């Protein structure tokens, strides 16, 4: 499902116009992004937990040359499915 299909599905499910569903999705993306940038956790109980993990600097290898190289420390968003979502996917 791409973004356009998601907007159409939200509009149909929530009895909204596509324009309102698009505004909702944009606001949701913005709020979650801002929270993760501020190192906050976003938790929708039973559905999804989004958080940020820090990756330490490490040594890797250049796949083309095989030479060792340093991989810089970074932050990465992580997403974990909640029990309700897992059960729905598994047909429970």
């Amino acid at each position: 499902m791409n973004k356009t299909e998601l907007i159409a599905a939200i509009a149909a499910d929530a009895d909204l116009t596509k324009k309102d569903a698009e505004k909702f999705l944009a606001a949701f993306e913005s709020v979650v992004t801002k929270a993760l940038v501020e190192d906050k956790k976003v938790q929708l109980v039973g559905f999804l937990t989004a958080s940020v993990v820090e990756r330490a600097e490490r040594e890797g290898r250049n796949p083309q040359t095989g030479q060792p190289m340093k991989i810089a420390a970074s932050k990465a968003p992580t997403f974990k499915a909640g029990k309700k979502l897992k059960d729905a996917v598994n047909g429970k």
Side-chain angles (χ1 to χ4, degrees):
M1 175 180 286
N2 64 31
K3 190 172 182 175
T4 303
E5 293 167 339
L6 179 60
I7 289 169
I10 290 170
D13 204 45
D15 195 28
L16 298 170
T17 65
K18 285 184 182 180
K19 192 166 192 122
D20 286 342
E22 188 173 6
K23 284 181 186 177
F24 161 77
L25 188 57
F28 181 78
E29 289 174 354
S30 175
V31 169
V32 170
T33 300
K34 285 178 188 173
L36 294 178
V37 165
E38 296 170 0
D39 280 336
K40 294 180 182 175
K41 183 190 285 190
V42 177
Q43 188 172 13
L44 303 173
V45 176
F47 181 66
L48 175 82
T49 300
S51 60
V52 176
V53 294
E54 293 192 30
R55 294 184 177 156
E57 183 178 285
R58 61 195 188 279
E59 191 169 298
R61 294 208 174 269
N62 182 327
Q64 292 179 343
T65 65
Q67 295 294 325
M69 60 183 276
K70 288 199 187 274
I71 300 172
S74 64
K75 293 181 180 183
T78 61
F79 302 91
K80 181 179 176 189
K83 182 175 177 8
K84 193 172 165 183
L85 178 59
K86 287 179 191 175
D87 288 348
V89 170
N90 289 307
K92 294 180 183 180

